[in-house]
Amino acid sequence: MASELCKTISEAKLERHKNLFLNYRNLHHFPLELLKDEGLQYLERLYMKRNSLTTLPENLAQKLPNLVELYLHSNNIVVVPEAIGSLVKLQFLDLSDNALEIVCPEIGRLRSLRHLRLANNQLKYLPAVSPVWIVEVGDLRELQTLDISTNRLITLPERLHMCLSLQYLTADRNHLWYVPRHLCQLPSLNELSMAGNRLAFLPLDLGRSRELQYVYVDNNIHLKGLPSYLYNKVIGCSGCGSPIQVSEVKLLSFSSGQLTVFLPAEVKSIGTETDRVLPLQELAMRTLYSTYYRFLKDLNFLTPISLPKSLLELLHCPLGHCHRCSQPMFTIVYPKLFPLRETPMAGLHQG
């Protein structure tokens, strides 16, 4: 294995490779061959996924000065050295699935960084408490993607809104209990995902920006409602799944001899990505909501005996409304161009 590794690196040096793949090599230490002599001056992309690395060399930037993309997914890295801030050309850094507890503030010096992935680590906070980070995070003007999902974060840096190019922010499965209002000011933010946290409320102006189109906040069991600006964004252009007009439906039929039986308009062929089949529970919730609010204007007479308590509470506060037909939605939402995502409410009443 060692001789094969040396051969691979030697060929990369000799032939001035721009890409080097060292995935699945069972490496416990950064290969010394990469750091010998002048290093790999021409290397732009280094893939070292699924190894057993615990740290990175201090002279990484000196030996790999033209590195643009660094993939270290699924290692055992605990500490990222301060020297990583010297990789001035780095645009993509993937440190997902490691053992990081702290991110060094020097990572804020990566002025060319566009994509930063820190998912599935042990982070309790981002370096917002460091004066260096508070200054530097705003200088990540090129950052477009930040993935910090599946960590132990309680808060997000207040100065994150200074990353003016940020388009995709994913912070699922943390311990976050609020969304910093400053995030609403991000001019380029297109997708915000904070599913599986402890959110109890959202800023009232979240979604006011036209750029923000996708917001995922499912699996926040304390979250009771959504800001009105999100009604046509969380649901998305796929709509609520309500039946369309008969003229738009290709009716199914069964024929036997001279007899042809047409099925109801609501029954149609399923198989394309645009077709939606609503669960019976969702249809029942909409029917109840429509019936009682339209005719009785009061849901208080419904007791937990006649309806499970979780669904009774949900009737008072829909998760959103379809922007096409204004129909309320209770247990599911259909994000734009994304697969169906179930909300936690869908299974609350089930054993």
Side-chain angles (χ1 to χ4, degrees), residues 52-99:
S52 300
L53 301 175
T54 57
T55 188
L56 300 176
E58 292 287 346
N59 59 346
L60 183 63
Q62 178 184 352
K63 299 299 182 179
L64 306 175
N66 291 302
L67 207 58
V68 175
E69 299 179 8
L70 179 58
Y71 298 88
L72 296 165
H73 184 285
S74 298
N75 280 276
N76 296 318
I77 298 174
V78 178
V79 177
V80 178
E82 298 177 0
I84 198 170
S86 299
L87 289 168
V88 294
K89 295 185 179 181
L90 197 65
Q91 296 181 15
F92 195 113
L93 176 59
D94 187 354
L95 284 164
S96 303
D97 286 291
N98 278 278

Side-chain angles (χ1 to χ4, degrees), residues 143-299:
L143 190 66
Q144 299 174 9
T145 302
L146 176 60
D147 186 355
I148 49 177
S149 56
T150 317
N151 279 282
R152 301 177 181 178
L153 298 172
I154 299 176
T155 60
L156 297 177
E158 292 288 343
R159 304 275 258 173
L160 197 58
H161 70 283
M162 296 180 66
C163 299
L164 300 180
S165 298
L166 191 62
Q167 299 177 26
Y168 308 99
L169 174 58
T170 305
D172 298 339
R173 297 177 297 280
N174 279 281
H175 304 314
L176 302 170
W177 59 277
Y178 76 100
V179 178
R181 188 176 181 183
H182 293 311
L183 289 185
C184 303
Q185 303 173 11
L186 284 168
S188 303
L189 190 63
N190 179 260
E191 179 180 326
L192 173 64
S193 187
M194 300 185 71
N197 280 280
R198 301 175 180 177
L199 301 179
F201 63 92
L202 298 173
L204 293 179
D205 49 351
L206 182 64
R208 190 170 187 174
S209 167
R210 293 183 178 180
E211 292 298 322
L212 185 61
Q213 293 295 317
Y214 313 104
V215 178
Y216 303 117
V217 289
D218 41 308
N219 289 309
N220 284 278
I221 62 175
H222 301 296
L223 190 61
K224 298 301 182 181
L226 301 174
S228 58
Y229 288 114
L230 294 184
Y231 283 178
N232 66 337
K233 297 187 178 184
V234 175
I235 309 305
C237 61
S238 295
C240 63
S242 57
I244 56 179
Q245 298 299 319
V246 176
S247 59
E248 299 179 63
V249 178
K250 180 181 179 181
L251 295 180
L252 295 180
S253 63
F254 291 95
S255 299
S256 178
Q258 296 182 346
L259 178 64
T260 299
V261 178
F262 289 92
L263 297 181
E266 288 78 12
V267 181
K268 60 176 183 173
S269 57
I270 301 298
T272 68
E273 60 182 3
T274 57
D275 290 326
R276 304 294 184 188
V277 183
L278 289 176
L280 181 60
Q281 177 180 293
E282 177 68 14
L283 290 173
M285 293 292 291
R286 293 182 188 179
T287 301
L288 282 172
Y289 183 91
S290 175
T291 300
Y292 290 115
Y293 265 107
R294 182 181 302 174
F295 299 108
L296 301 176
K297 306 293 183 181
D298 186 13
L299 293 174

